[in-house]
């Protein structure tokens, strides 16, 4: 949600007036993309739900269908607008479907992002939404579209076996840490049953405690161990789980960075993370991004995207709030 300027009170949301404004912007002789950006990024998720309902009553047309029409600026901007109007399970399901849609050349990184950062309740909701929206089975599509270690990890996560919101068990965390440490040589990999079961079946809060106990025992951080002992796609999946559990802000910042680093941009991951996190986690993500990469998230997105797509992402991210950006050896304050 776009940030309200300091000292200003956000005006009360009027679903009827906003629906009329959107309708005029969409159905006019020329689509006014800036109106879509202003309206959709200023509203929160509850207001956007009310907006969809009101738009349907007023114009007997689904707002998502209206935005998906040929008159709307196509591509990533359109996907971002539609993503903002979807509930979380439907949006996650759409992202999973997009990642799988070009099987066997699937977007493995996008699939890891949407599945490995989800808890059991989110997995169940996403799976149900996927099955309803596409009349397909998510587990079957993942099984058919992946192979090897990635398939093992994702299939295990898609089964509702991870505990959710359980009471912390300190003794179990110590026992799991000992299993991970073993004889002093960490054994990581999908074929190592103890490590695998711990990573895919413990709740996120229990895993965080286990990682703490592991560090106390081994004097090594679990992320460092995964980086050194695992490689390729298995390492990516396990690192995603461990990083999300230990610091979700750092997890999102890392994946945003990776989506833009180097040649080309993974717009699927960029869009998914920004839309999923813009209402609650974005301040922490921006702080973590700057701390890790010495540049603002805003500056990266501005440099790596263009047009209305860039504008809607920047509106969701919000201003830098005076954070300092380091570029080419110079320190400058964002204005």
């Amino acid at each position: 949600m776009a940030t309200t300027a300091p000292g200003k009170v956000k005006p009360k949301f009027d679903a009827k007036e906003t629906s009329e404004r959107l309708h005029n912007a969409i159905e006019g002789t020329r689509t006014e993309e800036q109106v879509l950006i202003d309206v959709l990024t200023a509203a929160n998720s509850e207001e956007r739900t009310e907006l969809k309902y009101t738009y349907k009553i007023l114009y007997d047309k689904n707002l998502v269908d209206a935005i998906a029409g040929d008159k709307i600026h196509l591509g990533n901007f359109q996907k971002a607008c539609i993503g903002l109007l979807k509930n979380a399970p439907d949006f996650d399901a759409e992202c999973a479907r997009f990642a799988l849609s070009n099987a066997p050349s699937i977007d493995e990184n996008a699939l890891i992002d949407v599945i490995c950062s989800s808890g059991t309740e989110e997995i169940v909701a996403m799976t149900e939404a996927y099955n309803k929206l596409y009349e397909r089975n998510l587990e079957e599509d993942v099984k058919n579209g992946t192979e090897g270690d990635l398939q093992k990890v994702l299939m295990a996560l898609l089964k509702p076996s991870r505990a959710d919101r359980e009471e912390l068990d300190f003794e179990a965390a110590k026992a799991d840490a000992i299993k991970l440490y073993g004889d002093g040589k960490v054994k990581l990999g999908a074929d190592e049953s103890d490590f695998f079961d711990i990573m895919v079946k413990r709740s996120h809060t229990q895993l965080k405690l286990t990682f703490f106990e592991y560090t106390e025992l081994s004097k090594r951080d679990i992320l460092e161990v995964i980086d050194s002992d695992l490689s390729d796609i298995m390492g990516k999946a396990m690192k995603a789980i461990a990083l999300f559990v230990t610091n979700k802000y750092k997890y999102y910042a890392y994946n945003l960075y990776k989506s833009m680093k180097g040649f080309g941009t993974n717009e699927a991951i960029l869009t998914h993370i920004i839309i999923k996190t813009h209402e609650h986690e974005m301040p922490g993500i921006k702080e973590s991004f700057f701390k890790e990469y010495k540049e603002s998230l805003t500056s990266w997105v501005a440099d790596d995207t263009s047009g209305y797509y860039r504008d809607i992402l920047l509106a969701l991210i919000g201003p830098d709030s005076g954070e300092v950006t380091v570029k080419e050896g110079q320190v400058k304050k964002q204005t």
Side-chain angles (χ1 to χ4, degrees):
M1 183 174 62
T3 308
T4 304
K8 290 187 177 181
V9 178
K10 180 184 174 183
K12 184 178 179 180
F13 182 74
D14 187 321
K16 182 176 182 296
E17 180 182 310
T18 305
S19 294
E20 292 170 349
R21 187 181 175 197
L22 271 181
H23 182 72
N24 293 333
I26 295 170
E27 301 297 337
T29 56
R30 181 186 177 279
T31 300
E32 299 177 43
E33 284 85 356
Q34 190 58 50
V35 173
L36 271 71
I37 294 171
D38 292 343
V39 168
L40 296 179
T41 63
N44 59 36
S45 58
E46 291 182 358
E47 290 167 344
R48 289 192 290 265
T49 298
E50 183 183 357
L51 179 61
K52 289 190 294 181
Y53 176 77
T54 304
Y55 192 94
K56 175 69 174 177
I57 291 176
L58 290 176
Y59 303 108
D60 194 28
K61 188 173 185 179
N62 187 298
L63 179 55
V64 170
D65 292 340
I67 292 178
D70 292 338
K71 294 179 66 178
I72 301 299
H73 191 87
L74 300 177
N76 292 312
F77 172 69
Q78 184 189 65
K79 291 176 183 177
C81 290
I82 293 173
L84 284 167
L85 290 167
K86 291 184 177 292
N87 61 40
D90 285 357
F91 183 54
D92 284 344
E94 182 182 73
C95 293
R97 182 63 195 147
F98 180 80
L100 288 161
S101 60
N102 293 320
S105 300
I106 68 168
D107 187 340
E108 294 178 338
N109 292 324
L111 201 56
I112 288 171
D113 170 53
V114 73
I115 294 177
C116 290
S117 63
S118 298
T120 297
E121 290 183 2
E122 293 171 309
I123 290 288
V124 170
M126 175 175 60
T127 300
E128 291 176 352
Y130 187 97
N131 298 349
K132 181 179 179 180
L133 289 171
Y134 304 109
E135 297 182 345
R136 302 175 66 96
N137 185 281
L138 179 56
E139 286 188 48
E140 285 298 316
D141 282 354
V142 169
K143 182 178 180 180
N144 293 332
T146 59
E147 59 184 9
D149 286 342
L150 179 62
Q151 184 187 78
K152 293 177 184 178
V153 174
L154 297 183
M155 290 300 293
L157 290 173
L158 287 174
K159 299 182 185 300
S161 57
R162 187 188 291 282
D164 252 359
R165 292 201 298 264
E166 65 182 14
E167 293 294 325
L168 287 177
D169 188 330
F170 289 86
E171 292 304 316
K174 290 180 180 179
D176 281 346
I178 292 172
K179 288 180 182 178
L180 290 178
Y181 190 59
D183 58 1
K185 295 181 180 180
V186 181
K187 300 174 181 178
L188 304 182
D191 292 327
E192 299 294 338
S193 59
D194 284 341
F195 170 73
F196 189 73
D197 285 348
I198 290 168
M199 292 295 286
V200 303
K201 293 183 179 180
R202 304 296 186 266
S203 72
H204 286 170
T205 51
Q206 185 67 22
L207 263 183
K208 188 172 185 177
L209 180 59
T210 298
F211 294 157
F212 172 80
E213 294 292 347
Y214 175 83
T215 300
E216 290 289 296
L217 177 66
S218 68
K219 309 306 178 187
R220 296 183 69 191
D221 182 86
I222 191 68
L223 289 167
E224 295 175 359
V225 176
I226 290 173
D227 278 339
S228 65
D229 288 19
L230 289 177
S231 60
D232 300 327
I233 204 67
M234 169 58 94
K236 286 183 179 180
M238 290 302 169
K239 182 173 182 177
I241 296 171
L243 186 55
F244 184 81
V245 165
T246 53
N247 189 327
K248 65 178 180 180
Y249 301 121
K250 190 173 181 179
Y251 165 83
Y252 287 128
Y254 172 77
N255 279 281
L256 287 169
Y257 172 77
K258 294 290 286 184
S259 75
M260 295 181 281
K261 184 178 182 294
F263 180 76
T265 302
N266 190 322
E267 288 89 356
I269 293 177
L270 186 64
T271 305
H272 178 248
I273 292 177
I274 290 176
I275 289 180
K276 185 174 184 176
T277 64
H278 75 279
E279 285 194 52
H280 304 294
E281 291 92 357
M282 190 54 68
I285 294 170
K286 291 197 290 185
E287 181 180 348
S288 182
F289 192 98
F290 179 75
K291 182 179 179 181
E292 292 294 321
Y293 309 113
K294 306 302 184 258
E295 292 185 306
S296 71
L297 175 59
T298 301
S299 68
W300 270 68
V301 172
D303 289 344
D304 221 57
T305 58
S306 61
Y308 294 116
Y309 177 57
R310 174 189 60 200
D311 294 343
I312 197 168
L313 294 186
L314 292 179
L316 292 170
I317 294 169
D320 282 344
S321 302
E323 70 188 34
V324 175
T325 299
V326 180
K327 283 190 176 181
E328 298 177 350
Q330 294 184 343
V331 178
K332 67 178 183 180
K333 190 179 183 73
Q334 295 292 306
T335 57

